Amino acid sequence: MLRAILLASALCGAVAPAYAESSAKDVQVALRSLRFLTAKPTPPVQVAVVHAPDNAESRRDAAVLMEAMSSGKVSGTPVVARLVDVSSLDSLSGAAVAFVTAGLDAQQNAIFGAAKALGILSISTQSACAEAGHCVMAVQAEPKVRIVVNAMAAKASGIDFEPTFRMMISEI
């Protein structure tokens, strides 16, 4: 019930969170970008939502991300989402995408290292994650769509995007 109230409040703008909370639109944009990978993941796309159960900000963000993917299909892309505890990064195995939740600034480098070793596309709705090279991609759907790809992080992870996508994003 609390999760539903938090989600409804966030989507309606009734509560201004202290951080840039992820949204269903962010998930849609992020998963649409998978169509531009040169090596496309096999459907259903396995998505790991990395969170810290003891961190309220991370828990809230994880709930929003999981809710956005609960139908099993996002933007026409079949998905299977699962929570991965930040203390169990070996559980990322088998995922094609790792969403990094808010509130994990101190763990972003470790998450990126684990995702990079497995060739997993790491995504956050926090621009600072990509800017620091701790995520391959940062996605924000509001107030307008903004996608930032860290070219060095992508290369280190073995992630490559089609040239048409590169013309539509900010690459740093």
Side-chain angles (χ1 to χ4, degrees):
M1 181 67 173
L2 177 60
R3 188 171 106 184
I5 292 170
L6 286 172
L7 177 63
S9 296
L11 293 176
C12 295
V15 176
Y19 63 96
E21 185 175 88
S22 298
S23 72
K25 286 182 181 181
D26 294 328
V27 173
Q28 290 173 357
V29 170
L31 294 181
R32 277 189 193 134
S33 69
L34 300 180
R35 298 176 185 162
F36 295 98
L37 288 169
T38 56
K40 293 166 183 44
T42 306
V45 177
Q46 302 294 315
V47 179
V49 176
V50 183
H51 76 296
D54 59 340
N55 178 314
E57 185 178 8
S58 178
R59 272 195 325 270
R60 284 190 303 265
D61 203 32
V64 170
L65 292 167
M66 292 298 291
E67 181 68 26
M69 293 181 275
S70 67
S71 71
K73 203 170 216 183
V74 179
S75 298
T77 303
V79 296
V80 175
R82 60 185 160 89
L83 291 172
V84 171
D85 189 313
V86 72
S87 66
S88 301
L89 293 175
D90 55 333
S91 299
L92 286 175
S93 183
V97 175
F99 268 102
V100 180
T101 58
L104 299 182
D105 297 352
Q107 295 92 351
Q108 286 177 351
N109 196 38
I111 297 165
F112 177 68
K116 175 179 71 172
L118 296 168
I120 296 172
L121 173 61
S122 51
I123 302 174
S124 177
T125 58
Q126 313 293 306
S127 294
C129 189
E131 291 164 2
H134 297 154
C135 295
V136 170
M137 180 188 298
V139 175
Q140 295 171 331
E142 297 292 339
K144 66 179 187 172
V145 173
R146 180 171 185 253
I147 300 172
V148 176
V149 172
N150 184 301
M152 290 176 59
K155 184 176 181 176
S157 300
I159 305 291
D160 193 30
F161 294 96
E162 295 174 0
T164 53
F165 185 66
R166 289 187 157 148
M167 295 185 317
M168 299 183 288
I169 63 167
S170 298
E171 194 167 22
I172 56 173

